Amino acid sequence: MASVVPGADFNGVWTSVRSEKLAEFLISQGMDEKVAKLAATKEVTQEITQDGKMFTVKTGSHTKSYVIGGSGNLKEVFGNMMLWEGSELVSKPFYMNTSEGAVETRRCIVNGEMVMKMRNEKGETTRYFKRVQTAVQPVTKPATTTQPVQPATTAKPSKSDTKKT
């Protein structure tokens, strides 16, 4: 079983259920207005694996892994510091990492929902997710045989095979 850093248990698969001001936030990040409005209506699934100080988030085909620091021992990941502030997992930017501004992300669990707040200098959004699977299952490796595999050989016919009857 995964060990969980004190704070909150984010392990599992989470599906978005609602958002506040998402289209406006995406526009503030430089996204086209029509695309942002369409994106704001789409359901998002995040698969989160949390094991000690390792935190991995898979959204669609994108996977990001973080090392979570604490007590001033912060790890740089994609220009962000990942740390716990109480029961919130916080990603704070070191520098401007987008053309429109850096984003701070905070995740916490409230009444069984994961609440993800993102903000930049122009605005903020809040997304709410429900957990649809409590733990991400490890990838199962195919079974391996314990018996050695012999190379194929071409057998010569025996004398009894070549006798005519």
Side-chain angles (χ1 to χ4, degrees):
M1 180 164 188
S3 69
V4 178
V5 174
D9 180 7
F10 292 98
N11 279 303
V13 177
W14 299 84
T15 301
S16 61
V17 291
R18 65 186 182 286
S19 301
E20 297 169 359
K21 301 180 185 178
L22 181 57
E24 296 89 340
F25 180 78
L26 294 173
I27 292 166
S28 78
Q29 285 295 106
M31 187 178 281
D32 175 76
E33 183 177 350
K34 288 180 183 177
V35 175
K37 287 181 178 180
L38 179 62
T41 66
K42 297 298 179 187
E43 181 178 275
V44 173
T45 299
Q46 292 188 348
E47 181 179 309
I48 299 176
T49 306
Q50 183 181 348
D51 188 6
K53 291 186 177 185
M54 292 300 302
F55 191 85
T56 302
V57 180
K58 181 178 180 186
T59 305
S61 62
H62 302 291
T63 301
K64 290 185 181 180
S65 294
Y66 307 94
V67 177
I68 302 166
S71 304
N73 180 20
L74 304 175
K75 177 73 177 174
E76 179 181 353
V77 180
F78 302 111
N80 291 347
M81 298 180 294
M82 297 295 295
L83 66 147
W84 287 103
E85 288 185 0
S87 62
E88 289 188 325
L89 182 63
V90 182
S91 169
K92 292 185 178 185
F94 279 146
Y95 54 85
M96 302 302 272
N97 58 5
T98 69
S99 61
E100 295 296 322
V103 176
E104 177 182 279
T105 303
R106 295 177 169 271
R107 284 183 175 87
C108 64
I109 308 231
V110 177
N111 297 325
E113 289 185 320
M114 177 174 65
V115 179
M116 186 172 79
K117 294 182 179 188
M118 296 179 288
R119 71 178 176 101
N120 61 21
E121 70 271 0
K122 296 179 182 178
E124 64 183 43
T125 184
T126 304
R127 300 193 83 178
Y128 300 87
F129 294 79
K130 68 178 178 178
R131 193 180 331 228
V132 294
Q133 184 179 336
T134 56
V136 179
Q137 298 299 317
V139 176
T140 306
K141 293 182 180 179
T144 57
T145 179
T146 56
Q147 306 219 351
V149 177
Q150 299 295 323
T153 58
T154 306
K156 294 181 182 178
S158 67
K159 290 183 182 181
S160 62
D161 291 338
T162 57
K163 287 184 183 178
K164 294 183 180 177
T165 55

